[in-house]
Amino acid sequence: MRFLYFIITLLLVTSCKSHSVTLPEGEFTYNVPCRVVNINTDKPGKAIVLLWLHGGVRDIAKHNFFAFNHIDCVDADERILKYLKESGTKAVALFPVCHKSWQKEPVAWRDCYDDVKHIIDDYIKKGLVDEKRIYVTGSSDGGVGTWDYAEKHPEMFAAAISMSCSSPRKVDIPIYFFNTRSEKDCTAKVEELVKQGVNVKYKYCPQYKHGGDAAECTPGLLKEFFSHTK
């Protein structure tokens, strides 16, 4: 059922450059395919925003979205959704797809930022979300994209979690970073960043294969992560 939902969403959204959908909260425009999960909608107040950037971006060598199978490449997204639900946190979780159907070649997450921001801005303008509590997370290519977004757009995000990549660099927001033996140990790079004043918490996970470091998204870590605000 979940896979069928993705296919229907992709068919609808990739049929044109932009697609408007009407939800109970109003009309939203998506320039990239995007799954939306609303959590604890019965809670009062504004929701936080969780942005999940998937991996496998460069695996789409041709213009064929049916070949795309990396939307859920690790289980970190499910771990985070479960935590938000069980902690009673009101949230909007956004799962955009890093692929524009009218382009023959795939693009990196940094190239999709304006389209992703447009979705978030829709929620902000409608007064549905707390613009001080917007978080970006991702694994593999999505982990690289998380560093890109944290570096280039710190005004948007309160904190970030990057997994299964080897692209640490200076950022101005708190960031949690995990990687595996596939990406090699980045301890030396991280230590240099800490000396520069970067608020980064890192764990090298050689016991895991690529993507396995999602296991580090424990309830304790997520509680701390979501406590950050702009």
Side-chain angles (χ1 to χ4, degrees), residues 51-72:
L51 176 63
W52 172 265
L53 307 182
H54 65 74
V57 170
R58 289 186 292 272
D59 292 351
I60 316 173
K62 298 181 180 179
H63 169 41
N64 178 7
F65 62 80
F66 285 108
F68 187 82
N69 61 358
H70 288 277
I71 294 176
D72 291 309

Side-chain angles (χ1 to χ4, degrees), residues 89-104:
T89 305
K90 187 174 184 178
V92 174
L94 303 175
F95 297 81
V97 176
C98 184
H99 178 59
K100 301 179 181 180
S101 63
W102 61 94
Q103 294 185 355
K104 293 183 178 180

Side-chain angles (χ1 to χ4, degrees), residues 143 146-147 150-151 158-163 165-179 185-204 221 224-225 228:
T146 296
W147 281 103
E151 178 187 28
I161 298 176
S162 173
M163 292 170 281
C165 75
S166 54
S167 300
R169 81 285 304 250
K170 192 175 188 304
V171 296
D172 294 325
I173 65 173
I175 188 163
Y176 299 76
F177 177 36
F178 313 112
N179 67 1
D185 190 354
C186 289
T187 298
K189 293 180 181 179
V190 171
E191 289 177 347
E192 185 59 35
L193 291 175
V194 171
K195 291 178 181 178
Q196 297 177 39
V198 179
N199 185 359
V200 53
K201 292 189 177 180
Y202 173 63
K203 185 174 181 180
Y204 177 48
L221 180 139
E224 178 181 324
F225 174 65
H228 293 288

Side-chain angles (χ1 to χ4, degrees), residues 25-92:
E25 297 86 359
E27 184 176 282
F28 294 81
T29 302
Y30 300 91
N31 294 328
V32 292
C34 183
R35 178 169 68 107
V36 179
V37 179
N38 293 298
I39 304 167
N40 294 319
T41 56
D42 58 324
K43 299 293 183 181
K46 296 182 177 181
I48 71 168
V49 176
L50 169 70
L51 176 63
W52 172 265
L53 307 182
H54 65 74
V57 170
R58 289 186 292 272
D59 292 351
I60 316 173
K62 298 181 180 179
H63 169 41
N64 178 7
F65 62 80
F66 285 108
F68 187 82
N69 61 358
H70 288 277
I71 294 176
D72 291 309
C73 61
V74 296
D75 66 351
D77 55 339
E78 294 300 335
R79 284 173 176 266
I80 298 173
L81 292 181
K82 181 180 179 182
Y83 169 81
L84 291 171
K85 183 177 180 179
E86 293 182 349
S87 65
T89 305
K90 187 174 184 178
V92 174

